[in-house]
């Protein structure tokens, strides 16, 4: 018998799947703001399928800090989720500059960051067990946990399981079913 929790998770997964499908037929470059609205929704919904490392939150109702780093419209696309909740945690949104400390960030969205800074940003996030999501080319292959990619005019995502394990994240099998899994040696 399905519980309300399972029914809610199925509904959320359906919304996430719908956002993937609805983003499809439009060329992503032509409607940048809409592209980032979809990506912002994906980040918010994906967070619901992540098991955060023990001790990530000070308490059960402590805020989930979503941080963004880099140039471009991603930071603005995350603003509509400020004050909403993820697994009982109210969402806070903050924008960081490259080189700035991650502070209380639980999830870091990386977009519009020069390639020469990416390894340092990802290393800093890994040491603090911060979930990284980015739309830079080959983001997951370069050590990011979740990479947003364009495939056939749609926004998809890749998950680097090694990076997730190193940062002590557990990702729901429901989310993994929708992702392309990146393993060492994938190109």
């Amino acid at each position: 018998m399905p519980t309300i929790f399972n029914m809610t998770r199925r509904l959320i997964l359906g919304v996430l799947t719908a956002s993937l499908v609805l983003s499809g037929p439009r060329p992503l470059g032509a409607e940048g703001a809409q592209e980032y609205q979809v990506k912002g929704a994906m980040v918010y919904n994906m967070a619901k399928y992540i098991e955060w490392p023990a001790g990530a939150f000070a308490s059960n109702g402590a805020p989930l800090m979503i941080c963004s780093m880099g140039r471009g419209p991603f930071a603005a696309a995350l603003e509509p989720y400020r004050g909403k909740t993820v697994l009982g945690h109210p969402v806070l949104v903050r924008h960081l500059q490259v080189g700035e400390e991650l502070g209380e960030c639980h999830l870091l969205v990386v977009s519009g960051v020069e390639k020469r800074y990416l390894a340092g940003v990802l290393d800093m996030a890994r040491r603090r067990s911060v979930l990284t999501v980015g739309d830079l080319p080959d983001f997951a292959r370069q050590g990011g946990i979740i990479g947003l990619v364009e495939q056939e005019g749609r926004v998809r995502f890749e998950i680097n399981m090694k990076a997730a394990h190193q940062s002590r994240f557990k990702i729901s099998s429901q989310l993994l079913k929708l992702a392309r899994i990146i393993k060492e040696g994938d190109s």
Side-chain angles (χ1 to χ4, degrees):
M1 175 179 233
T3 64
I4 290 177
F5 180 74
N6 285 337
M7 290 172 41
T8 302
R9 289 183 69 94
R10 286 184 191 153
L11 177 63
I12 292 167
L13 189 59
V15 170
L16 178 59
T17 302
S19 70
L20 294 171
V21 172
L22 293 175
S23 66
R26 291 177 289 290
L28 292 175
E31 299 184 28
Q34 191 170 17
E35 170 190 345
Y36 280 93
Q37 288 174 350
V38 170
K39 289 179 178 179
M42 290 175 73
V43 168
Y44 172 72
N45 286 308
M46 284 181 195
K48 298 172 183 177
Y49 292 90
I50 304 296
E51 185 177 321
W52 304 86
F57 298 97
S59 65
N60 288 340
L64 169 72
M65 178 70 76
I66 298 178
C67 299
S68 64
M69 181 180 287
R71 296 181 311 268
F74 222 137
L78 296 170
E79 283 297 326
Y81 302 99
R82 181 185 299 268
K84 295 193 176 211
T85 59
V86 170
L87 303 174
H89 301 282
V91 172
L92 299 178
V93 178
R94 180 174 173 219
H95 183 71
L96 304 173
Q97 301 298 321
V98 172
E100 194 173 340
E101 287 294 320
L102 297 179
E104 301 299 319
C105 298
H106 295 99
L107 190 160
L108 177 65
V109 174
V110 182
S111 180
V113 171
E114 291 181 43
K115 187 175 182 177
R116 63 185 166 143
Y117 298 120
L118 182 59
V121 169
L122 293 177
D123 184 55
M124 185 169 48
R126 189 174 17 262
R127 284 185 278 121
R128 296 182 53 92
S129 290
V130 173
L131 180 71
T132 53
V133 180
D135 64 352
L136 300 170
D138 295 324
F139 182 79
R141 287 178 180 78
Q142 294 182 36
I145 296 175
I146 300 176
L148 303 176
V149 296
E150 179 189 347
Q151 289 180 336
E152 301 171 358
R154 296 180 181 194
V155 179
R156 305 281 188 185
F157 58 98
E158 301 174 330
I159 296 178
N160 180 329
M161 292 302 296
K162 181 178 177 184
H165 289 147
Q166 287 176 336
S167 295
R168 301 179 295 128
F169 287 100
K170 293 181 182 171
I171 300 173
S172 163
S173 60
Q174 293 172 313
L175 190 60
L176 292 174
K177 286 178 189 174
L178 298 173
R180 178 170 185 226
I181 306 301
I182 301 298
K183 298 175 185 164
E184 284 189 47
D186 283 355
S187 57

